[in-house]
Amino acid sequence: MTIRVLLADDQALLRSAFRVLVDSEPDMEVVGEASDGAEAVQLAKEQRADVVLMDIRMPGTDGLAATRLISADPSLAQVRVVILTTFEVDDYVVQSLRAGASGFLGKGSEPDELLNAIRVAAGGEALLSPAATKGLIARFLAQGDTGDEDAGPVRSERLAALTVREREVLVQVAAGHSNDEIAERLEVSPLTVKTHVNRAMAKLGARDRAQLVVIAYESGLVRPRVE
């Protein structure tokens, strides 16, 4: 199955570079280019995109607002958003994950990392690599400014619906471990881990693993370590 990729960036030169890279792969194709968030949302619908590579800073409707619109639209439930940003990220990254993005990647990443990010997102997983992602999420949440004072208590109550094993799996997910790694750590099968992850997502109303990570931190189940 060919992965349909939409490029959203206000810099035409970057879009051209990404297009060449993506179209060079036999299992993916660029189905559209957008120069702002509003256009990205529209093209995601029209072109039936699987993955949107979304620049977070664009004129007009920015990447954060566009991600929220895509995540809130039931007709776009299959669309996964990967935020592209500079390494010097800010709290917009955490906000974008909470808004429904499947992860984020630095624009200075290697080509193989970008292509892997597309495949990971298209497969329904969350891009929690490179390892810097976990540290950045933890750092911003450690600042105590999540943008929603009621989010922590509400999600703490929702955690009560999880089984002991689902909580254990959630802790491992928050650490950025893959299903195979979690299976090895908990001495269960990867399929069992996947089942627990899916149930936790359903109970917590999380779109994907990226949101599970944020919920784990916001609820206090996992405490960020400040270096």
Side-chain angles (χ1 to χ4, degrees), residues 92-174:
Y92 280 140
V93 172
V94 170
Q95 292 182 43
S96 66
L97 290 175
R98 294 176 66 199
S102 293
F104 68 94
L105 196 68
K107 288 185 177 180
S109 299
E110 294 295 324
D112 285 347
E113 290 181 306
L114 178 61
L115 295 173
N116 179 64
I118 294 173
R119 294 188 177 101
V120 168
E125 298 292 333
L127 180 65
L128 300 179
S129 295
T133 303
K134 299 186 303 241
L136 289 167
I137 292 174
R139 188 172 71 203
F140 292 123
L141 291 176
Q143 294 175 357
D145 182 13
T146 61
D148 187 349
E149 295 180 354
D150 297 326
V154 170
R155 282 175 173 151
S156 294
E157 292 177 5
R158 289 161 68 185
L159 286 182
L162 301 183
T163 65
V164 173
R165 180 60 88 181
E166 287 166 355
R167 282 174 176 250
E168 291 175 341
V169 169
L170 178 54
V171 169
Q172 296 297 320
V173 169

Side-chain angles (χ1 to χ4, degrees), residues 44-45 48-51 73-81 121-122 207:
K45 296 178 181 179
R48 296 179 292 108
D50 298 309
V51 177
D73 190 334
S75 70
L76 298 177
Q78 86 288 350
V79 179
R80 294 293 178 261
V81 177
R207 181 181 172 92

